[in-house]
Amino acid sequence: MRATHLWKQPRGWAAVIIGGLLAALITLAYIGPAADPQAHLRDLPMVLVDADEGAPTGSTTVRLGKELGTRIQDEARHDGRISWHTVTSLAEARRLLERGEADGALVIPQDFSRKALTLVAPGATPERPTLTVLTNEGAGSVASSMAEKAARATAAEASTALGRRLAERAAATEPGPDRLLLLQDPVRTVTEPARTTTGATAGGAMTLYLTIALLLAGLLPAVLLTMTVDAALGYSPLEMGPRRSLLPVVRITRTSTFLAKAGIGAVTGFGAGSAVIAVAVWGLGVEPDRPLQLWLFAGLTCAAITLLTLALFAVFGMAGQVIALLIVTMFGIPLSGGTVPVQAQPDFARAVGELLPARHVTEGIRSLVFFDGLGTGLVHAWLVIGAYAAGAFLVGLLVARLYDHRGFDRATALELARHPEHQAPLPA
């Protein structure tokens, strides 16, 4: 048969069409969330610190910070892009940032009203009030950058609004041109990191790279196990370069085969996850906040991905490898939130990503590496990854038993007839 004859087969063209469709879906998964994250931004978690003590003016106390905070909250409710959580102390804001519950903060200091009123008080030395933007590198470079940009934009709008408010207050005193110029932008904005990461952990990008390493480390044992075990049982050839060997077929139930692969795969997957963390921590200088929990989480993650891939092999055969790649990496990684935060992804990306393991692996790693194991998504990540491991094992086992019950032997009658010594079935 010539190679050109293969192109006349409908299956060949079907593979080309399916491949093109998958390429289009992968492109949508990777580029869709990153195309215009600002346009899709919704409910980005931020902290607003209102520590302003106010300033006495006659018989009343002016609280410009409270007015500013109310204005920010009202505008956010109408806009929908930022979700502000208001607190009254800087310590509480830092606690929320260190737990990963917010991507940034805007701080209204204690002396905000006092300094603001000096800009319009006759004879007083003018002092520009300050708003402080706190960044959170552990949230990831994109999320931290978006939070900083949003906080600075909010501060700029607040400065303009405060300038108008003070100008109305100073109208009766006829302030000089220098004061009027200052009131056009009365607030100074500074940026400070809430926590600085160092070494190999710097910048928050380590979350994405560890996620990718663990997902691939979970896939590889399943693929290698399927290749070697099936070759040893005679169900597929073993090709090493130009050499090809095909052993006699051993009649063994699908259930027994899956149980053998799953047992070895769970142990091998856990070992692969351990190797990833060992290299990252001891070899590359990653400094996680919770190294022991990170090791256990990484081991469970790889074991779950290995079992998931083996279950897909058991259900779909060799097509399970392609399905596993799509679910675990090709769709999982871009929708994980490791680069573009979930709050800045389109609705379809948020919904699909929530069903895939990569997003929950990312949440768990981020919490254990940057947020001392206190991140809000850690418990959920443990539960989801554990459910993937148990669910994959049960589905693979049940489908294998169903295939055995229906008489779907992996070997054909012709293959078994060539080796009658292997026809006796092994117990499931």
Side-chain angles (χ1 to χ4, degrees), residues 201-265:
T201 317
M206 187 55 61
T207 300
L208 175 65
Y209 298 135
L210 274 178
T211 298
I212 295 174
L214 289 175
L215 294 177
L216 293 177
L219 277 169
L220 286 175
V223 175
L224 292 175
L225 268 174
T226 299
M227 181 178 67
T228 55
V229 171
D230 287 353
L233 295 175
Y235 290 103
S236 65
L238 182 62
E239 296 188 61
M240 303 292 290
R243 301 187 57 139
R244 180 179 185 275
S245 61
L246 182 60
L247 298 177
V249 173
V250 176
R251 188 172 188 183
I252 182 173
T253 62
R254 292 175 180 268
T255 303
S256 295
T257 305
F258 176 76
L259 286 173
K261 290 179 181 179
I264 301 172

Side-chain angles (χ1 to χ4, degrees), residues 284-377:
L284 301 177
V286 175
E287 300 176 359
D289 289 347
R290 294 286 180 174
L292 179 59
Q293 290 187 38
L294 180 62
W295 165 58
L296 295 174
F297 182 78
L300 175 63
T301 294
C302 284
I305 298 302
T306 300
L307 290 173
L308 173 63
T309 307
L310 289 173
L312 291 172
F313 271 117
V315 174
F316 299 104
M318 292 307 298
Q321 181 174 349
V322 177
I323 298 174
L325 285 171
L326 293 173
I327 293 175
V328 175
T329 59
M330 294 181 181
F331 291 155
I333 291 173
L335 305 182
S336 67
T339 48
V340 179
V342 176
Q343 295 82 5
Q345 294 183 6
D347 291 339
F348 83 90
R350 296 190 193 196
V352 174
E354 188 66 25
L355 302 175
L356 304 180
R359 176 168 298 175
H360 307 285
V361 175
T362 300
E363 292 175 354
I365 291 174
R366 180 176 286 134
S367 177
L368 294 169
V369 172
F370 294 102
F371 301 128
D372 201 29
L374 301 174
T376 54

